């Protein structure tokens, strides 16, 4: 590793978060921003690809590696690969690629937290698994910035503290990239005075036992990649993207709105049936 790599890794290990040097080319950033905004034009529903509203203040874009080559290129940045493998081990690979548009808000609606992703009962008496997340701002961020309590990844289970204690607040221009350990306390700071688009990639080893909440509530989606984006990838890069890993044995059972699912599905089928008959009548009338 170079001296730069060593310094960045040392900060990541000690603090739990590190901002990386400028890595994104302007044309690459522009393409990602345009693709991201295109997905925000409509909700994902039935056969429409778009966003999911995960809560009142955020719109989520899933499976970003299917919408633009640049998102794949970001995950494969050599500096990112070096730091992730050094921190997590050679078996670590990309597991999730999601983005969020954060809507304006003034309250602390999403307080300090540690991410729930592995099964804590399974690892209760053994070494806890580790993961890293990569954040990328697609907009200039001066409010609603990502906030992290340095060193809190070493004090798992400790006091959650308050926003006033945060000493790392990541503001910056569009294209700002940072790595953080999600076992540390973090949140989006408030107030957030304007819409903010940001991307988050999650890296961990594929043999880790995942939390049931992580699976059953739709928070974990098995990674999809557009095959044409892989044409120039080396075997090492493909492995880092998770190509060649064992298939997931985790059943996906989405729990959201189970009580309304049958009614909603019936409504969608009714709309489709109505559209079919409308088109048939329209075709007959046009032939007269």
């Amino acid at each position: 590793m170079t001296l730069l790599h060593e310094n960045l890794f040392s900060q990541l290990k000690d603090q739990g978060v590190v901002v990386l040097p400028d890595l994104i080319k302007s044309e690459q950033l522009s393409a990602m921003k345009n693709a991201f905004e295109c997905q925000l034009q409509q909700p994902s529903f039935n056969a429409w690809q778009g966003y999911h509203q995960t809560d009142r203040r955020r719109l989520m874009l899933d499976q970003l590696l299917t919408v633009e080559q640049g998102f794949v290129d970001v995950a494969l940045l050599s500096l990112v690969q070096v730091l992730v493998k050094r921190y997590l081990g050679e078996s670590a690979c990309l597991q999730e690629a999601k983005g969020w548009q954060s809507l304006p808000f003034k309250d602390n609606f999403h307080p300090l937290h540690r991410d729930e992703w592995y099964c804590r009962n399974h690892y209760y008496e053994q070494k806890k698994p580790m993961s890293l997340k990569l954040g990328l701002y697609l907009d200039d961020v001066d409010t609603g910035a990502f906030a992290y309590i340095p060193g809190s990844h070493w004090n798992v289970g400790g006091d959650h503290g308050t926003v006033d204690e945060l000493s790392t607040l990541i503001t910056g221009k569009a294209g700002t990239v940072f790595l953080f350990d999600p076992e540390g306390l973090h949140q989006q700071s408030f107030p957030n005075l304007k819409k903010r688009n940001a991307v988050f990639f999650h890296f961990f080893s594929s043999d880790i036992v995942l939390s049931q909440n992580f699976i059953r509530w739709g928070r974990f989606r098995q990674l999809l990649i557009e095959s044409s984006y892989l044409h120039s990838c080396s075997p090492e890069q493909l492995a880092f993207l998770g190509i060649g890993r064992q298939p997931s044995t985790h059943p996906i059972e989405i729990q959201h709105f189970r009580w309304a699912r049958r009614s909603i599905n019936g409504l969608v089928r009714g709309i489709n049936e109505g559209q079919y008959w409308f088109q048939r009548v329209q075709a007959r009338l046009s032939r007269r």
Side-chain angles (χ1 to χ4, degrees), residues 215-280:
I215 300 166
R216 298 183 66 193
W217 289 95
R219 294 166 56 194
F220 177 70
R221 304 290 181 88
Q222 295 167 356
L223 191 66
L224 302 179
I225 308 176
E226 164 58 41
S227 60
S228 64
Y229 298 160
L230 306 177
H231 68 281
S232 62
C233 290
S234 67
E236 182 181 12
Q237 290 174 323
L238 291 175
F240 192 66
L241 290 173
I243 306 299
R245 62 187 169 190
Q246 292 296 314
S248 174
T249 59
H250 301 292
I252 304 299
E253 182 185 354
I254 305 302
Q255 302 294 307
H256 291 294
F257 303 111
R258 292 185 68 181
W259 57 272
R261 189 177 304 159
R262 180 173 297 180
S263 298
I264 292 173
N265 290 343
L267 176 62
V268 172
R269 289 195 295 269
I271 292 173
N272 289 339
E273 187 73 8
Q275 182 184 36
Y276 166 76
W277 285 107
F278 176 79
Q279 290 173 343
R280 287 198 61 180

Side-chain angles (χ1 to χ4, degrees), residues 20-141:
L20 304 183
D22 292 341
L23 299 171
I24 312 298
K25 298 178 181 178
S26 59
E27 59 272 17
Q28 180 185 22
L29 179 63
S30 178
M32 287 189 289
K33 291 176 66 172
N34 290 337
F36 200 95
E37 287 289 349
C38 182
Q39 296 298 305
L40 288 168
Q41 293 177 10
Q42 63 186 18
S44 179
F45 181 72
N46 202 19
W48 306 336
Q49 187 175 6
Y51 67 83
H52 305 271
Q53 185 157 9
T54 55
D55 54 50
R56 291 181 60 212
R57 312 293 172 79
R58 291 183 299 180
L59 309 179
M60 186 190 78
L61 303 187
D62 201 11
Q63 307 296 1
L64 290 181
L65 303 194
T66 66
V67 300
E68 166 57 39
Q69 173 79 56
F71 294 116
V72 176
D73 295 340
V74 169
L76 294 177
L77 288 166
S78 59
L79 177 58
V80 172
Q81 291 187 68
V82 168
L83 294 176
V84 169
K85 290 183 177 181
R86 176 89 181 270
Y87 196 88
L88 301 177
E90 289 294 323
S91 64
C93 61
L94 182 63
Q95 302 283 353
E96 294 184 287
K98 297 180 179 180
W100 277 269
Q101 179 175 89
S102 296
L103 305 175
F105 59 87
K106 294 182 178 180
D107 59 318
N108 187 17
F109 90 99
H110 194 212
L112 286 169
H113 64 280
R114 295 183 167 93
D115 288 358
E116 179 184 5
W117 61 280
Y118 65 86
C119 180
R120 296 188 184 274
N121 289 335
H122 181 83
Y123 294 99
Y124 181 72
E125 294 183 347
Q126 52 185 302
K127 184 179 179 181
K128 304 293 189 296
M130 297 171 62
S131 73
L132 278 177
K133 283 191 172 181
L134 178 147
L136 164 63
Y137 290 156
L138 297 180
D139 297 314
D140 296 347
V141 173

Side-chain angles (χ1 to χ4, degrees), residues 11-19 87 112-115 131-133 137 145-156 160 162-171 178-189 200:
Q11 183 177 344
L12 176 61
K13 183 178 179 181
D14 294 340
Q15 303 294 311
V17 62
V18 62
V19 178
Y87 196 88
L112 286 169
H113 64 280
R114 295 183 167 93
D115 288 358
S131 73
L132 278 177
K133 283 191 172 181
Y137 290 156
F146 178 82
Y148 195 96
I149 296 184
S152 59
H153 61 309
W154 293 111
N155 185 28
V156 177
H160 283 201
T162 65
V163 176
D164 293 337
E165 295 171 357
L166 295 172
S167 58
T168 296
L169 195 66
I170 299 179
T171 58
F178 52 95
L179 281 170
F180 67 96
D181 187 330
E183 195 73 357
L185 290 167
H186 60 279
Q187 71 171 108
Q188 184 177 359
S189 62
F200 290 91

Side-chain angles (χ1 to χ4, degrees), residues 1 7 37 51 70 103 125 149-150 179 196 199 208 218 239 284-285:
M1 295 179 73
N7 290 338
E37 287 289 349
Y51 67 83
L103 305 175
E125 294 183 347
I149 296 184
L179 281 170
R196 186 206 75 175
V199 174
I208 292 172
R284 286 190 176 187
L285 292 175

